[in-house]
Amino acid sequence: MSTATTPRQVTEVPFWFGTATIFRREFLAFFTTPVAAIFMVIFLVMSGVMTFNVSRLVDPQGQAALRGFFNWHPWLYLFLVPALSMRLWADEHRLGTLELLTTLPLSMMDLVLGKFLAAWAFASVVLAMTFPVWLTVSYLGDPDHGVIAAGYVGSVLLAGGFLAVGSAVSASSHNQVVAFVVSVAACFFLLLTGWGPVQSFFKGWLPPALSDLLAAISFLSHFVDSFVRGVIDARDLVFFATVIAAGLWITGLLLQGKRRR
Amino acid sequence: MAASPLIQARSLVKQFGSFRAVDDVDLQVFPGEVVGFLGPNGAGKTTTMRMVTGYLMPTSGTASLAGMDIATHPREAKRHLGYLPEGAPAYPDMRVEEFLRFVARARGLRGAEVRAGVNRASDLLELGKVRRQTVETLSKGFKRRVGFAQALLHDPSILILDEPTDGLDPNQKHEVRGLIRRMGEEGGKAIVLSTHILEEVEAVCNRAVVIHRGKTVFDGTPEALDQRAPAKVTRNRLDHVFRELTQDQAPQAGNKDDEVAA
Ligand SMILES: Nc1ncnc2c1ncn2[C@@H]1O[C@H](COP(=O)(O)OP(=O)(O)OP(=O)(O)O)[C@@H](O)[C@H]1O
Ligand SMILES: [Mg+2]
């Protein structure tokens, strides 16, 4: 006769429950960190500055499409998004809570996706808080609402792309400051490769295939040249989806690597 | 008696660069067994526990919990596990109650089960007073108790506790030891706890495993451990055995203050 206790049967939970549990903790945690508050204040103040600088919002045709507003987003995100993503994993390493997380019955995907989605949702909430800018241009002029909506979609995707890069960088570091600096550098590179002067510099000495590749991976060209002009192109959607998937996949690999070390 | 082990580790090896922290450790723990895991600083206790719980991947060897391989069926294996990692890590910004609720959900409990699990674990570890405090404001002992409570939320059949009584006051040590003993005797759990307090092994464990430089050097009952000391040693007998097992040269007779001639 077996004297083994039958392990207590744990109720089966839906597949998304683990991701949702991580998401919930992380999302709420953003509201207790000063960095998130700073992110919110800087982002909203900057968009406020834009609002007062109305001449920039309303383009010469009298069509307010908020191009000036959205053109700023890549450069605001460059510093603000790494401030959000730096603590994602660096803090887990430092506090030792990664050991707790990885010994819970959760998959690596639950952890990586839950954290990423929480940061992305937080950034989206902050972006949504800029809606008074939209109201203002609607009041002052006759904007093309479709173009503005495309700008918001693009801006959300851009933030997601930066966050995925920041997530991977954060997974490789114990130190938040290091994670921040490296993320800013990586995101800066991904912006610059699509910036006109840098592109022509590369064209001068790199083989065309390589300089075209560098231009193709730029966050800037996939945002400023499309969404901000009101164009939602499947290629840009696929681009950002690929960047996000790649960033999260690398995050998972780096975390698995820590366990193998 | 054909009980199957709840914890089964075979030939675990962990190599950090050129340093072999754990060298071919086997461990089988059956229901109702409370194993005291002993060894000097750096012996490889934490590293072994980390491999058994699935945090670190072993360089070679396998581990399974409740019959589930931790490498191939990690989620199924971890459902049966309550683990207190070294240093009782927790999120400093969270309130104790929030933290416990989070871990309960992550363990797959839902709704009323979460509340019941948190209440039961908080009662067992006497966390009533600090439930609304944030983790960063807790004293060392309370932080450790929160870490222990976290491991009990889902009433697991396997408990792996890395220094569960470290930093507790004498009263709390007594309480927690009683709790661990009862969970083994009455709860039929398989429990492994590491400690540096040898009396703790006599007080709560029905088996002791000593490792030294990553190798198992003793595995048996606490009484058998005690028997290894020569009869002339009358005080701190376990200390004597421990030193003998884990010192590179055998202690010389007559120069130890615990070797008091009767
Ligand atoms: N990530 C790591 N990289 C390199 N060496 C490590 C790593 N983790 C542990 N070690 C080494 O492995 C050895 C065993 O460490 P471990 O933490 O398992 O010891 P321990 O028995 O738990 O000691 P203590 O009683 O001090 O807690 C130590 O020499 C330690 O320095
Ligand atoms: Mg240790």
Side-chain angles (χ1 to χ4, degrees), chain A residues 66-149:
Chain A
L66 288 181
R67 249 186 232 177
F69 171 71
F70 287 119
N71 276 333
W72 267 96
H73 285 195
W75 307 102
L76 278 176
Y77 287 155
L78 174 60
F79 292 98
L80 293 177
V81 170
L84 281 189
S85 62
M86 65 183 185
R87 52 165 284 285
L88 281 182
W89 295 105
D91 242 20
E92 301 283 348
H93 291 309
R94 192 176 55 82
L95 297 169
T97 40
L98 186 62
E99 183 167 359
L100 183 68
L101 287 183
T102 53
T103 51
L104 293 171
L106 300 171
S107 65
M108 194 52 94
M109 170 122 136
D110 290 332
L111 304 181
V112 171
L113 201 58
K115 276 181 173 266
F116 168 77
L117 291 177
W120 203 12
F122 179 81
S124 303
V125 165
V126 176
L127 182 63
M129 285 181 183
T130 62
F131 75 94
V133 178
W134 195 343
L135 293 183
T136 306
V137 289
S138 304
Y139 174 74
L140 290 176
D142 179 23
D144 183 332
H145 293 289
V147 174
I148 295 177

Side-chain angles (χ1 to χ4, degrees), chain B residues 191-236:
Chain B
I191 304 175
V192 178
L193 63 102
S194 73
T195 180
H196 288 294
I197 308 166
L198 297 173
E199 302 81 73
E200 192 157 293
V201 177
E202 290 184 302
V204 302
C205 302
N206 45 35
R207 192 173 141 203
V209 171
V210 183
I211 66 167
H212 176 46
R213 297 171 170 242
K215 284 189 196 295
T216 308
V217 292
F218 178 86
D219 187 344
T221 62
E223 295 75 41
L225 191 64
D226 184 88
Q227 292 307 307
R228 290 179 69 112
K232 66 171 179 174
V233 178
T234 54
R235 284 164 42 204
N236 301 331

